[in-house]
Amino acid sequence: MMNKTPFQAESQRLLEMMIHSIYSQKEIFLRELISNASDAIDKLYYKTLTEGGRSFNREDYYITVSVDKDTRTLRVTDTGIGMTKEELESNLGVIAQSGSLAFKRDNETSDEHDIIGQFGVGFYSAFMIADEVVVTTKALGSEEAYRWESTGADGYTISPADKASVGTEIVLKVKPNSEEQEYDEYLDEYRLRAIIKKYSDFIRYPIKMNVTSSRPKEGAEGEYEEYQEEQTINSMVPIWRKNKSELSDEDYNNFYMEKHYGFDTPLQHMHISVDGAVRYNAILYIPEKTPYDYYTKEYEKGLALYSSGVLIMDKCADLLPDYYSFVKGMVDSEDLSLNISREILQHDKQLSLIAKNINSKITSQLQRMLKDERDKYETFYKAFGTQLKYGVYSDYGSHKDVLQDLLLFYSSTQKQLVTLDEYVSRMPEEQKYIYYATGASYDRIEKLPQTELVAEKGYEILYLIEDIDEFAIKMLMNYKEKEFRSVSSGDLGIEPDAQESTTEETQENEALLAEMKKLLEGKVKDVRVSKRLRNHPVCLTADGELTIEMEKVLRSMPNSQNVEAEKVLEINTHHDVFRSLKAAFDQDRDKLALYTGLLYNQALLIEGLPIQDPVDFTNDIFKVMV
Ligand code: ADP
């Protein structure tokens, strides 16, 4: 007896998790096995087309499903590309890359991150209904066949086997019924036919099964006999060639799962048939959840590309702009030449026309969703809005016209996400700018002293909480001829009330301000009388283009340059604190230094910036207390 090779430790845990929890419905194991079989035939078909030498007779390529109730076995075979011993080892020996599980461990995953959906785990779903799985396979161009056997989490063995033809056979030993769960249904011909029809109807190769029927018995009037006959169960017409009116949401969702576009239920599907200067069919999906690796370098965008029904590329990146990289699905076109290599295909003129066309379809779909299905759009936006904002910022803002109307920001007055158009349409006549404030959270921004004047005027403020936000806003510059303005900026375009002329106050307090500036030498560029503060004594703002929030973002980046915003300490001259400052200036310069240091550090804290010396800061507070 051969020793079992254990699954890698993490694979083992995953397998258990998988068997017990991933799929709510056990029946999908068949969809997974059939999809793998279909992929294997696709691969072989692709090889014959690109490498030539062999001809591809469609009749030779099919999938079979058969059952034997006596031995409780279910068999799925294909005439696809098969697997070598090494491929068996690497494809079926390691369930998922340890990186994925490590990610799950390191990051407390929320519902938004559908980790499981990212694994190539389809094959293992067989263990939900089987207590033993035997895979016998012979790879294209190989003389030997191999058998992979496993009874679940304890490992697997691989040994030489006999198999005449190229392809793969998978035999499942269906679990015995238990008190909690019946497994007999997976040995039932009718049930299996229904499962195939439900999930795998559009598989493009015949799925054949022996079907029991009855017919009048010859020579025996009125009597019937049962007989078995091989039938093709699936309709085979690819879903994208079908008429939209024949298809239900369930059909689209099944196709999404069958093709492993994701394990979530797509938020929206688009079925596109274009027959003009370019001709193509496409089925596109907007997923509901952010893939766990979406905002990492590992994520690969792209659509599956078919040419006249044959898969050419799994992920054709050129079909999607980066800002729509979340879109999943496929494109099929007859106009792509098949003889050319993949490289050439990527620069195919037809392909770029299709890409352009798809791009505008996605845009109008998103616009429509925003207009007609706001809740759904917000779900989408929560998952992928950040990407749209990156899209505004990237490529020197060349996509901003397309994307600006798809953006949503939280509004101080509406207490919900709003579009820029909604904001502008609510602006009172005298309001000059579109105001925004940045911070770590809506709650924190709400309390920012910098917002006081604008808020008091009753103007709406957009709250920006993501790193990319202010960069995107700066790239937009304006919307419908209204400029964006940070509530921290020098000119807020708001006329101060007559009695509070800051110029006058600045003159009055010139010496004090100059003294404070000297005390904060090297820390701030200036100390000024604030126009924007109401109830708060102090705040930090920045002169110039680089804001404090942008400084924070840039500094947090790897290899960050030593960027620094030109900070200005603003003082509220109507606050009691200012009176103390004045008194200290007149009577006790040590006290003035103490107060100035404290105010500066408090302003840093409010901004979410680190204090240079926390011990000094707390010592200063003690001094005030005693
Ligand atoms: P996924 O299909 O998501 O990659 P699976 O666990 O279902 O993950 O399968 C792992 C790999 O095993 C497949 O990517 C494929 O390379 C290989 N494989 C599975 N079934 C077959 C098959 N019937 N014929 C050839 N290769 C297969």
Side-chain angles (χ1 to χ4, degrees):
M1 194 59 207
M2 278 202 320
N3 278 337
K4 277 189 182 161
T5 311
F7 286 108
Q8 293 194 350
E10 294 184 330
S11 298
Q12 226 178 79
R13 279 187 43 202
L14 193 63
L15 186 58
E16 250 141 49
M17 223 164 77
M18 146 108 227
I19 293 171
H20 294 115
S21 62
I22 294 185
Y23 296 113
S24 50
Q25 283 164 307
K26 294 192 161 40
E27 65 187 28
I28 60 82
F29 80 93
L30 195 54
R31 173 191 77 200
E32 298 300 319
L33 296 183
I34 288 175
S35 297
N36 283 349
S38 166
D39 289 347
I41 301 176
D42 265 346
K43 285 176 193 162
L44 193 135
Y45 190 6
Y46 178 71
K47 267 217 144 90
T48 51
L49 284 166
T50 51
E51 288 172 9
R54 275 179 305 267
S55 60
F56 187 93
N57 294 318
R58 274 208 91 88
E59 311 82 66
D60 296 340
Y61 298 95
Y62 54 86
I63 297 159
T64 67
V65 175
S66 56
V67 282
D68 182 343
K69 281 191 175 154
D70 297 337
T71 55
R72 293 189 73 83
T73 51
L74 172 63
R75 186 183 308 263
V76 179
T77 73
D78 67 68
T79 56
I81 198 159
M83 282 177 273
T84 63
K85 191 176 178 210
E86 291 69 37
E87 284 167 339
L88 268 179
E89 196 88 55
S90 61
N91 293 340
L92 305 187
V94 186
I95 296 183
Q97 267 144 22
S98 47
S100 308
L101 197 62
F103 180 92
K104 195 176 165 65
R105 220 177 14 227
D106 298 344
N107 300 272
E108 274 184 33
T109 55
S110 66
D111 280 353
E112 255 116 275
H113 297 287
D114 188 6
I115 296 283
I116 305 302
Q118 320 303 326
F119 292 132
V121 288
F123 168 78
Y124 301 93
S125 60
F127 286 105
M128 292 193 297
I129 66 118
D131 45 25
E132 188 191 14
V133 178
V134 179
V135 180
T136 311
T137 184
K138 188 176 187 178
L140 178 69
S142 165
E143 294 300 314
E144 292 97 41
Y146 291 94
R147 175 174 296 123
W148 179 101
E149 288 173 77
S150 172
T151 49
D154 60 340
Y156 61 91
T157 59
I158 295 179
S159 52
D162 281 332
K163 189 174 188 307
S165 56
V166 168
T168 301
E169 176 196 74
I170 299 176
V171 178
L172 314 184
K173 190 144 176 53
V174 175
K175 289 180 182 176
N177 287 340
S178 69
E179 259 170 41
E180 308 93 65
Q181 185 76 39
E182 261 224 49
Y183 293 98
D184 282 359
E185 58 181 301
Y186 304 114
L187 294 165
D188 181 77
E189 182 191 305
Y190 290 94
R191 177 79 174 103
L192 291 170
R193 275 167 65 186
I195 299 174
I196 294 170
K197 203 71 192 152
K198 177 171 173 193
Y199 293 107
S200 310
D201 200 35
F202 311 123
I203 292 287
R204 291 171 306 112
Y205 304 100
I207 304 167
K208 299 180 182 181
M209 228 183 120
N210 272 332
V211 173
T212 313
S213 311
S214 61
R215 62 186 165 200
K217 204 168 172 181
E218 243 177 83
E221 193 76 23
E223 279 185 51
Y224 285 81
E225 62 175 359
E226 287 200 331
Y227 72 103
Q228 288 221 315
E229 185 185 50
E230 194 174 67
Q231 279 185 14
T232 297
I233 310 297
N234 54 329
S235 74
M236 284 190 290
V237 181
I239 181 170
W240 60 88
R241 295 247 176 89
K242 288 218 164 184
N243 211 317
K244 283 171 220 174
S245 58
E246 291 171 39
L247 295 163
S248 64
D249 284 351
E250 200 190 4
D251 288 328
Y252 290 108
N253 292 353
N254 281 338
F255 185 68
Y256 181 84
M257 284 190 281
E258 190 180 289
K259 290 294 165 202
H260 300 293
Y261 295 140
F263 276 55
D264 54 347
T265 308
L267 197 63
Q268 180 76 44
H269 66 256
M270 287 173 256
H271 189 158
I272 306 168
S273 303
V274 174
D275 197 0
V278 281
R279 286 180 301 169
Y280 74 94
N281 292 302
I283 297 194
L284 308 181
Y285 298 93
I286 298 172
E288 185 190 18
K289 293 179 178 164
T290 327
Y292 80 94
D293 62 349
Y294 186 62
Y295 291 108
T296 71
K297 281 205 292 286
E298 275 67 50
Y299 181 81
E300 270 183 82
K301 66 164 183 174
L303 300 174
L305 180 63
Y306 292 76
S307 175
S308 305
V310 181
L311 183 73
I312 302 298
M313 261 176 112
D314 250 351
K315 278 191 176 163
C316 180
D318 290 355
L319 284 168
L320 290 175
D322 281 343
Y323 50 88
Y324 291 154
S325 61
F326 48 82
V327 174
K328 302 277 186 186
M330 53 74 52
V331 173
D332 182 49
S333 175
E334 292 165 26
D335 296 345
L336 304 166
S337 161
L338 246 195
N339 307 332
I340 48 177
S341 70
R342 290 179 195 220
E343 274 79 11
I344 300 170
L345 191 58
Q346 281 181 17
H347 299 110
D348 189 281
K349 208 159 141 222
Q350 287 299 319
L351 198 70
S352 47
L353 282 174
I354 294 174
K356 230 173 125 184
N357 203 281
I358 282 180
N359 190 353
S360 65
K361 299 266 181 198
I362 299 171
T363 305
S364 25
Q365 180 65 39
L366 290 174
Q367 283 166 345
R368 191 208 52 77
M369 213 155 108
L370 174 59
K371 192 164 144 273
D372 302 337
E373 294 177 281
R374 184 65 170 245
D375 285 351
K376 203 166 165 183
Y377 187 81
E378 288 190 15
T379 305
F380 153 75
Y381 197 78
K382 276 171 192 145
F384 301 108
T386 312
Q387 187 64 9
L388 297 184
K389 292 183 275 192
Y390 276 113
V392 168
Y393 178 69
S394 64
D395 300 328
Y396 305 101
S398 54
H399 320 293
K400 63 183 186 184
D401 289 347
V402 187
L403 298 175
Q404 61 185 2
D405 284 310
L406 294 174
L407 301 181
L408 296 176
F409 295 103
Y410 185 86
S411 149
S412 61
T413 56
Q414 307 302 304
K415 306 282 176 221
Q416 60 177 2
L417 294 171
V418 301
T419 64
L420 295 175
D421 187 51
E422 287 159 0
Y423 181 104
V424 168
S425 67
R426 274 192 292 266
M427 278 170 79
E429 190 120 23
E430 81 282 358
Q431 185 182 338
K432 256 169 101 177
Y433 302 121
I434 302 174
Y435 295 106
Y436 68 87
T438 52
S441 67
Y442 300 147
D443 287 348
R444 296 260 306 256
I445 298 176
E446 189 88 34
K447 292 186 200 139
L448 271 185
Q450 286 90 327
T451 61
E452 287 183 338
L453 175 64
V454 181
E456 193 185 80
K457 277 275 172 193
Y459 296 154
E460 191 169 350
I461 304 171
L462 299 175
Y463 287 179
L464 312 187
I465 57 167
E466 285 196 273
D467 284 357
I468 183 66
D469 287 351
E470 199 172 15
F471 292 86
I473 289 283
K474 294 251 174 199
M475 191 54 86
L476 284 177
M477 285 186 300
N478 50 52
Y479 179 83
K480 298 212 166 148
E481 290 163 24
K482 300 286 181 195
E483 249 181 79
F484 290 96
R485 258 309 136 90
S486 161
V487 293
S488 310
S489 80
D491 171 20
L492 288 173
I494 298 173
E495 291 300 319
D497 298 344
Q499 89 267 21
E500 38 178 345
S501 155
T502 44
T503 341
E504 232 167 73
E505 285 179 3
T506 305
Q507 280 164 2
E508 264 172 40
N509 298 296
E510 213 172 340
L512 167 60
L513 295 173
E515 182 62 24
M516 289 176 77
K517 187 176 161 187
K518 216 163 86 198
L519 287 166
L520 294 174
E521 177 104 50
K523 291 175 178 151
V524 300
K525 183 191 161 207
D526 204 2
V527 178
R528 285 184 202 147
V529 173
S530 181
K531 296 179 199 173
R532 81 196 84 228
L533 289 173
R534 284 293 173 273
N535 304 312
H536 217 268
V538 69
C539 73
L540 268 185
T541 60
D543 274 358
E545 275 304 292
L546 188 70
T547 63
I548 293 172
E549 205 58 34
M550 290 166 89
E551 173 190 310
K552 273 193 265 176
V553 174
L554 292 172
R555 275 173 179 247
S556 69
M557 287 184 182
N559 323 315
S560 65
Q561 311 288 319
N562 219 357
V563 287
E564 210 161 325
E566 295 182 319
K567 298 186 189 72
V568 174
L569 188 74
E570 293 195 7
I571 307 286
N572 182 354
T573 47
H574 301 282
H575 200 280
D576 289 344
V577 162
F578 189 69
R579 230 164 290 143
S580 307
L581 278 173
K582 265 167 106 169
F585 179 63
D586 293 338
Q587 296 149 22
D588 184 349
R589 289 297 169 96
D590 285 346
K591 209 174 220 177
L592 180 70
L594 176 68
Y595 286 179
T596 304
L598 276 173
L599 282 175
Y600 169 68
N601 280 327
Q602 285 169 343
L604 284 178
L605 281 177
I606 292 167
E607 273 304 309
L609 288 169
I611 290 188
Q612 273 141 5
D613 192 332
V615 178
D616 269 359
F617 175 61
T618 44
N619 282 338
D620 284 351
I621 294 178
F622 299 148
K623 279 185 208 157
V624 178
M625 292 169 79
V626 291

